[in-house]
């Protein structure tokens, strides 16, 4: 076990270095989980203040790195780039999300909302792939930041679509009224 203890620097504050994994968006979740379990095993009997602090840090670091969007935000932050997704919006992002909101407004039947939600999920999966490519392949943090913005906007629209779908299921009808 002593060989394992030397592998980890538990005082490291960089999440990737703490787990001993390469700093990249496409980090292996399996590898990360293995290192996380090993660290927790090392710390299981340490009930000191420092031990509890290391466990808390391990939980926070793992929860950040296991989520692709939180991981992207962390990478952007550690590389000195803003991850405030509202500040990263471009005119193209605004136009894209405006069109999605318009599509949501026109979707008033259950199957239309189901299809729309499925389409939004496809968009978010594609965005996550593009974030990984922007960070790992091109080191283009500005593009990655814009993609994180787009992800959050689509997530917000997704939440609204799910709410609208539940309302339609409950019998609440949505209609578009023409004031003319």
């Amino acid at each position: 076990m002593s060989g394992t203890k030397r592998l980890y620097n538990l005082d490291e504050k960089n999440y990737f270095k703490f787990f001993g994994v390469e700093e990249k968006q496409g980090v292996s979740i399996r590898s990360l989980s293995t290192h996380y379990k090993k660290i927790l095993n090392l710390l299981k009997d340490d009930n000191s203040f420092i031990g509890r602090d290391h466990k808390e840090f391990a939980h926070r670091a793992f929860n950040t790195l296991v989520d692709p969007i939180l991981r992207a935000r962390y990478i952007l932050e550690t590389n000195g780039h803003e991850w405030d997704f509202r500040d990263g919006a471009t005119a193209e992002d605004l136009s894209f999300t405006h069109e999605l909101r318009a599509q949501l407004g026109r979707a008033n039947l259950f199957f239309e909302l189901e299809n729309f939600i499925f389409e939004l999920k496809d968009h978010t999966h594609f965005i996550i792939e593009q974030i990984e490519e922007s960070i790992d392949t091109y080191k283009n943090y500005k593009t990655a930041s814009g993609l994180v913005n787009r992800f959050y906007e689509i997530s917000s629209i997704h939440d609204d679509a799910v709410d609208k779908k539940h309302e339609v299921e409950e019998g609440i009808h949505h209609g578009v009224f023409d004031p003319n």
Side-chain angles (χ1 to χ4, degrees):
M1 203 71 165
S2 64
T4 305
K5 286 183 181 178
R6 285 190 296 250
L7 179 66
Y8 302 106
N9 178 0
L10 299 179
D11 293 321
E12 178 61 54
K13 296 303 176 198
N14 179 294
Y15 292 172
F16 290 99
K17 291 178 183 175
F18 180 80
F19 290 116
V21 296
E22 186 178 354
E23 184 173 332
K24 64 181 188 173
Q25 181 66 15
V27 67
S28 165
I29 301 304
R30 185 179 205 179
S31 174
L32 183 63
S33 297
T34 299
H35 291 292
Y36 176 62
K37 289 174 186 175
K38 285 181 180 180
I39 289 172
L40 289 183
N41 192 41
L42 288 172
L43 297 170
K44 70 180 176 192
D45 296 327
D46 188 353
N47 291 320
S48 68
F49 176 76
I50 292 173
R52 287 191 307 267
D53 188 48
H54 287 317
K55 287 178 203 171
E56 185 179 307
F57 184 83
H59 291 305
R60 186 172 58 249
F62 179 76
N63 288 332
T64 298
L65 296 183
V66 79
D67 181 290
I69 297 302
L70 294 178
R71 183 172 56 245
R73 288 174 50 177
Y74 179 76
I75 290 171
L76 292 170
E77 182 180 290
T78 59
N79 285 285
H81 293 273
E82 288 291 324
W83 56 262
D84 184 354
F85 59 93
R86 298 284 182 202
D87 290 342
T90 64
E92 181 183 341
D93 291 328
L94 296 173
S95 175
F96 179 75
T97 56
H98 177 75
E99 177 54 35
L100 287 177
R101 288 224 176 260
Q103 285 179 8
L104 174 58
R106 291 188 299 270
N108 293 311
L109 301 174
F110 183 83
F111 78 91
E112 292 173 332
L113 291 163
E114 282 276 306
N115 290 338
F116 183 69
I117 290 168
F118 184 75
E119 180 184 325
L120 292 176
K121 287 180 181 178
D122 279 349
H123 282 301
T124 57
H125 290 298
F126 177 74
I127 288 170
I128 289 170
E129 291 171 3
Q130 293 302 303
I131 290 171
E132 182 176 327
E133 186 175 318
S134 295
I135 290 174
D136 291 348
T137 304
Y138 301 111
K139 305 289 186 232
N140 187 336
Y141 300 115
K142 184 176 182 176
T143 297
S145 179
L147 289 166
V148 168
N149 170 59
R150 192 172 276 201
F151 178 88
Y152 279 115
E153 292 294 335
I154 291 172
S155 293
S156 173
I157 295 167
H158 174 271
D159 292 345
D160 293 344
V162 168
D163 290 344
K164 188 173 181 179
K165 184 180 98 172
H166 290 307
E167 290 174 356
V168 168
E169 283 178 315
E170 293 173 3
I172 300 171
H173 297 286
H174 292 266
V176 179
F177 296 101
D178 186 6
N180 295 326

